Amino acid sequence: MKQKKVIVYTFKRCPYCVKAKRLLNSEHIEFTEIEVSDDKLEELAQRTKMSTVPQIIVDDVLIGGCDDLYKLHQNRQLFKETFYEIG
């Protein structure tokens, strides 16, 4: 199985960002972290329609933030097609 490209947009001292990154690391999901400033978040929000961080993007598709990531984890979907190419 090949892992999809995962990008996590974060703030430096954001507890939800830390929590999301910790979960991804615990599940051995590789990701690229991009720290954003307030002005860059405004720019990002125009593209994603989401104004908070973390913002987790998988193969150019926004899956959401920390709560959305934990929902995927609770539903045992972290190892499914969300993060990996099947077949």
Side-chain angles (χ1 to χ4, degrees):
M1 267 189 300
K2 181 180 174 191
Q3 183 184 307
K4 296 178 180 180
K5 181 180 177 183
V6 179
I7 299 173
V8 182
Y9 289 93
T10 65
F11 278 155
K12 192 170 192 159
R13 291 188 175 93
C14 165
Y16 295 101
C17 299
V18 171
K19 187 176 175 182
K21 292 185 299 182
R22 191 172 294 145
L23 178 59
L24 290 170
N25 283 325
S26 74
E27 296 295 336
H28 307 288
I29 295 171
E30 294 179 22
F31 61 92
T32 300
E33 178 182 4
I34 300 176
E35 285 186 17
V36 295
S37 58
D38 287 333
D39 58 327
K40 292 292 183 184
L41 180 58
E42 288 179 32
E43 185 180 310
L44 182 62
Q46 289 177 353
R47 288 188 290 146
T48 63
K49 308 298 184 231
M50 187 174 162
S51 61
T52 60
V53 288
Q55 291 189 28
I56 303 162
I57 298 176
V58 179
D59 277 355
D60 298 321
V61 175
L62 176 69
I63 65 161
C66 186
D67 290 342
D68 301 301
L69 180 67
Y70 270 80
K71 284 178 190 171
L72 286 172
H73 184 255
Q74 289 170 347
N75 293 333
R76 301 190 189 284
Q77 292 180 326
L78 282 182
F79 291 108
K80 294 188 179 180
E81 59 275 0
T82 301
F83 290 94
Y84 294 95
E85 295 174 10
I86 308 294

